[in-house]
Amino acid sequence: MGIIKAAKLGFDYFRYEDDTEEPEATRAIDDVNLEIEAGQFIAILGHNGSGKSTFAKHINALLVPTEGTLWVDNMDTSDEEDVWKIRQKAGMVFQNPDNQIIGNVVEEDVGFGPENMGVPTEEIWKRVDESLAATGMIAYRTQSPNKLSGGQKQRVAIAGVMAMQPECIVLDEPTAMLDPNGRKEVLRAVRELNEKKGVTVILITHYMEEVVFADNVFVMDEGRIVMQGTPREIFSQVEKLKELRLDVPQVTLLAYELRKSGVDLPEGILTTEELVNALCQ
């Protein structure tokens, strides 16, 4: 079994209008089946309301299934006795870093999670050093988070989760509130986590360029997984993605339009370098 596995996963949100009436149920996750192996870089795509953020909250046991099962490293997220262990295995970074940063100084904020876990002081500072180095934030360790840019704050939030040493990090649209430079900063830190530390990364995003280097991509719509495959396999299906109200990387779209115009190009071009090489052949 992979580090994350969902089997027939379903989840309903309930809205209570009146104490005397039955609650109104809205299905947010519907029969999701997937498996994610340790060490993979996974991207989850979908338009607003597709269920991707709801699914993310199941991985960290912030939500528990209405139906089916979600396992994190063989632990059932519905088992209350394992919730603390699950949250140590699967850390979560949210869209707005201000909701996650609580310290007055960067290094104190990064050390808060391990301290709360009862990690010895010497080990806490070792983890703080390693996490700040991995996210490129060593130079800012004694600064107030309030003085940082949005991208820097998000890297501090990632460092704080890293310091807890989870085997899996779930990033729920971590760059949605950032400018292009901030998005690049955060994506660089995420990729290094995956490549150098072997951390399983699950990235939920609206930005297609962030998906290019993922090992596997899941596309959600109306609570279901409707597409899955490598980035090249997914982005080769431009028309289907358009039907799902999703974009493709700009260079992929340009190559697609050139192919439609008769230019001999392969499907699923993902980078500018690939397009230039294909055009020069």
Side-chain angles (χ1 to χ4, degrees):
M1 181 185 290
I3 190 168
I4 307 294
K5 183 175 180 179
K8 298 182 178 179
L9 185 69
F11 180 78
D12 294 326
Y13 285 110
F14 292 96
R15 185 174 64 181
Y16 294 83
E17 298 253 344
D18 191 302
D19 291 340
T20 61
E21 295 182 2
E22 287 294 317
E24 179 182 343
T26 300
R27 174 124 302 204
I29 300 290
D30 190 16
D31 195 29
V32 165
N33 299 276
L34 62 76
E35 188 163 354
I36 296 169
E37 298 297 331
Q40 284 189 317
F41 182 169
I42 300 297
I44 301 179
L45 305 178
H47 61 81
N48 288 336
S50 62
K52 57 189 188 299
S53 291
T54 299
F55 175 72
K57 291 172 183 174
H58 278 76
I59 297 174
N60 196 240
L62 293 173
L63 297 175
V64 295
T66 305
E67 298 173 0
T69 310
L70 184 83
W71 293 274
V72 176
D73 198 23
N74 295 313
M75 293 180 287
D76 185 339
T77 59
S78 295
D79 189 341
E80 293 185 4
E81 293 184 359
D82 285 335
V83 167
W84 179 241
K85 293 179 183 177
I86 288 167
R87 290 178 180 165
Q88 289 177 298
K89 288 279 184 180
M92 195 155 184
V93 178
F94 296 98
Q95 182 180 122
N96 188 348
D98 289 326
N99 293 337
Q100 242 172 307
I101 294 175
I102 60 173
N104 294 320
V105 177
V106 166
E107 62 182 10
E108 292 176 358
D109 185 85
V110 174
F112 176 79
E115 182 179 19
N116 204 35
M117 293 165 57
V119 175
T121 301
E122 185 176 344
E123 174 66 16
I124 289 174
W125 288 112
K126 179 183 176 183
R127 293 189 186 189
V128 169
D129 291 342
E130 291 176 349
S131 300
L132 289 173
T135 54
M137 293 300 292
I138 281 283
Y140 302 90
R141 64 183 306 154
T142 60
Q143 290 195 19
S144 166
N146 295 327
K147 296 182 179 179
L148 302 179
S149 70
Q152 290 167 338
K153 286 181 180 180
Q154 196 62 284
R155 283 193 283 167
V156 171
I158 293 171
V161 173
M162 276 185 62
M164 298 172 70
Q165 295 189 346
E167 295 179 25
C168 173
I169 292 183
V170 184
L171 300 110
D172 188 7
E173 301 190 42
T175 64
M177 302 179 67
L178 307 182
D179 61 23
N181 287 334
R183 291 201 294 270
K184 288 179 182 178
E185 288 178 0
V186 170
L187 184 60
R188 188 182 302 115
V190 169
R191 289 183 61 195
E192 288 182 356
L193 271 180
N194 176 250
E195 294 169 0
K196 295 181 180 181
K197 297 289 186 178
V199 175
T200 305
V201 171
I202 301 173
L203 174 65
I204 296 168
T205 182
H206 279 111
Y207 297 101
M208 300 301 136
E209 283 78 10
E210 296 179 354
V211 177
V212 167
F213 300 102
D215 297 312
N216 205 6
V217 181
F218 295 94
V219 180
M220 297 188 68
D221 184 55
E222 296 183 350
R224 289 177 170 266
I225 293 176
V226 293
M227 298 174 70
Q228 66 181 82
T230 65
R232 199 174 306 282
E233 290 168 342
I234 295 298
F235 291 135
S236 292
Q237 304 177 65
V238 175
E239 292 300 329
K240 186 171 182 180
L241 289 169
K242 286 183 177 180
E243 290 175 5
L244 294 169
R245 293 171 281 168
L246 295 175
D247 295 322
V248 297
Q250 289 185 345
V251 68
T252 306
L253 183 59
L254 175 58
Y256 171 75
E257 294 296 341
L258 289 171
R259 287 184 77 253
K260 285 175 62 177
S261 299
V263 180
D264 185 16
L265 292 172
E267 292 185 346
I269 284 177
L270 300 177
T271 66
T272 302
E273 291 76 13
E274 287 183 358
L275 178 57
V276 170
N277 290 336
L279 289 171
C280 289
Q281 290 180 0

